[in-house]
Amino acid sequence: MQSLSLPCPDDWHLHLRDEGLLATTVPASAKVFGRAVIMPNLVPPVTTVAQAMDYRARILKQVPAGSEFRPLMALYLTQSTTVAMVKDAAEQSEVIGFKLYPSGATTNSDAGVTDIEALDTVFAAMAEYQVPLLVHGEVTHAEIDIFDREKVFIDTKLRPLLARHPKLKLVLEHITTADAVDFVVSQGENVAATITPQHLLMNRNDMLVGGIRPHNYCLPILKRREHQQALQQAAISGNPKFFLGTDSAPHAQDKKEAACGCAGCYSAPAALELYAHFFEQMGALDKLADFASHFGADFYGFARAEDTLTLVRESWTVPATVDTSVGPMVPYWAGETLAWKIQD
């Protein structure tokens, strides 16, 4: 096969950051994806519809001419989120839902949720209005091993939450474990999950063996190979509960290569090509269109894309760095060769 055409894909989990970085991050995703769910963990966080619309306007200013890229805004769930705020979100077509960050779980999550159970009236409203809840699924208790935090969160927080609110529309973001795969499969059609390229292509050996590789460090952290294999099988299974979400997260090189390096993989410069690389490895290129273009749109209730995008078999090397307003960034898979490239 020398070329592969598929409907314009969507990225259902994307970090663009703000201000000067938008000039780099927005075009990188807009040239590939038709729609993207924009994460709200700015400083300060995006907690209201008004703030989200202001942020969206800043994003749209950086969309290249001719692109129809549609940013769909997530609001940051806090202990101060109200039922009225849920109703406001339900009435705004460009707001896709609320993002639940357990406080301290990842970058800019200090304002996140500290008591899930105390927000039950908010979750009830989200279920009533069918406003999706997008979940970073990890506990943050110091005594819980970092490699177990996703499983513990599922068992102690998500299962009880969905038992109390069985109609809640929920996406477990960037899943990393076989436990998460099993959980999502066991739930109704209102529960789905996104999977990143790094969690499909790597396991914790790729971050730790032969020296620490900070540009492969992300949260939730890479897990054992057996968990990677479970994610791989979920992605190629044809199960509509699993779909593309890059979690592309830009950080300056000096922030990653530091004594306390930050978490996140900036995959946007090669996102779709990375997924194509994985699906070809698995002998499942015929499953890429559903995973990248169909299942996420179906879950969120959007029309499937009619425009197409073509990948051609052409060897190219992911750049070692990308110049940005905050200095050089090292993209995920930097310096490595990919066999598929988006046709201009």
Side-chain angles (χ1 to χ4, degrees):
M1 182 183 294
Q2 296 302 308
S3 67
L4 174 66
S5 292
L6 63 157
C8 185
D10 302 304
D11 188 347
W12 299 103
H13 186 143
L14 177 64
H15 297 269
L16 294 175
R17 310 303 185 206
D18 204 357
E19 300 176 340
L21 262 181
L22 294 178
T24 298
T25 59
V26 174
S29 291
K31 74 176 184 179
V32 180
F33 297 105
R35 293 166 288 219
V37 175
I38 310 304
M39 293 297 106
N41 56 332
L42 305 183
V43 180
V46 179
T47 59
T48 69
V49 169
Q51 290 172 337
M53 292 301 98
D54 287 344
Y55 182 28
R56 187 172 189 271
R58 297 194 296 276
I59 292 168
L60 289 174
K61 288 181 180 178
Q62 301 299 331
V63 174
S67 171
E68 297 182 0
F69 179 68
R70 183 181 179 186
L72 298 163
M73 313 308 293
L75 302 184
Y76 196 116
L77 189 73
T78 75
Q79 293 299 143
S80 299
T81 300
T82 65
V83 170
M85 294 166 75
V86 174
K87 187 176 181 181
D88 286 346
E91 293 172 348
Q92 172 50 258
S93 61
E94 303 308 314
V95 170
I96 201 162
F98 284 82
K99 180 62 182 278
L100 192 165
Y101 292 105
S103 181
T106 190
T107 303
N108 298 339
S109 63
D110 292 346
V113 171
T114 56
D115 187 348
I116 288 177
E117 291 74 16
L119 290 170
D120 258 7
T121 56
V122 171
F123 296 132
M126 293 178 69
E128 177 184 355
Y129 293 112
Q130 285 295 281
V131 174
L133 178 66
L134 288 55
V135 180
H136 181 117
E138 291 187 289
V139 296
T140 57
H141 311 306
E143 67 272 17
I144 304 298
D145 189 289
I146 191 169
F147 294 102
D148 297 329
R149 291 182 174 187
E150 184 173 271
K151 181 183 187 309
V152 172
F153 185 90
I154 290 168
D155 291 341
T156 64
K157 299 299 179 182
L158 278 196
R159 292 188 190 278
L161 175 64
L162 285 165
R164 298 192 303 272
H165 306 283
K167 295 184 179 179
L168 182 63
K169 198 174 183 74
L170 185 147
V171 180
L172 186 53
E173 305 271 35
H174 45 46
I175 60 171
T176 65
T177 60
D179 309 279
V181 171
D182 292 343
F183 167 77
V184 171
V185 170
S186 74
Q187 300 298 311
E189 293 181 356
N190 55 310
V191 177
T194 58
I195 311 180
T196 74
Q198 62 265 27
H199 291 107
L200 290 171
L201 291 167
M202 290 184 171
N203 57 61
R204 63 189 190 180
N205 281 357
D206 297 290
M207 181 178 61
L208 297 171
V209 172
I212 295 173
R213 294 171 173 80
H215 298 288
N216 295 341
Y217 170 54
C218 56
L219 290 172
I221 201 163
L222 297 171
K223 303 298 196 298
R224 290 180 179 273
R225 178 167 174 75
E226 64 197 64
H227 292 296
Q228 177 194 13
Q229 290 172 328
L231 300 180
Q232 291 174 334
Q233 291 304 313
I236 67 171
S237 67
N239 188 326
K241 285 173 164 284
F242 301 101
F243 44 82
L244 186 155
T246 64
D247 193 21
S248 179
H251 293 283
Q253 184 174 3
D254 63 350
K255 299 297 184 184
K256 293 285 290 180
E257 299 173 8
C260 187
C262 53
C265 297
Y266 181 50
S267 57
L272 189 61
E273 294 94 333
L274 287 162
Y275 283 110
H277 176 72
F278 160 73
F279 275 82
E280 184 169 47
Q281 277 187 336
M282 301 296 291
L285 271 175
D286 60 315
K287 302 292 183 65
L288 178 60
D290 280 339
F291 180 83
S293 309
H294 293 157
F295 292 158
D298 294 347
F299 179 83
Y300 278 109
F302 290 98
R304 291 184 174 187
E306 296 182 359
D307 294 340
T308 60
L309 175 151
T310 299
L311 290 160
V312 294
R313 189 175 294 282
E314 179 181 334
S315 180
W316 67 289
T317 301
V318 179
T321 60
V322 175
D323 291 330
T324 78
S325 65
V326 297
M329 290 194 302
V330 178
Y332 181 64
W333 221 252
E336 299 294 330
T337 299
L338 290 169
W340 289 98
K341 189 173 185 179
I342 295 172
Q343 187 177 60
D344 293 333

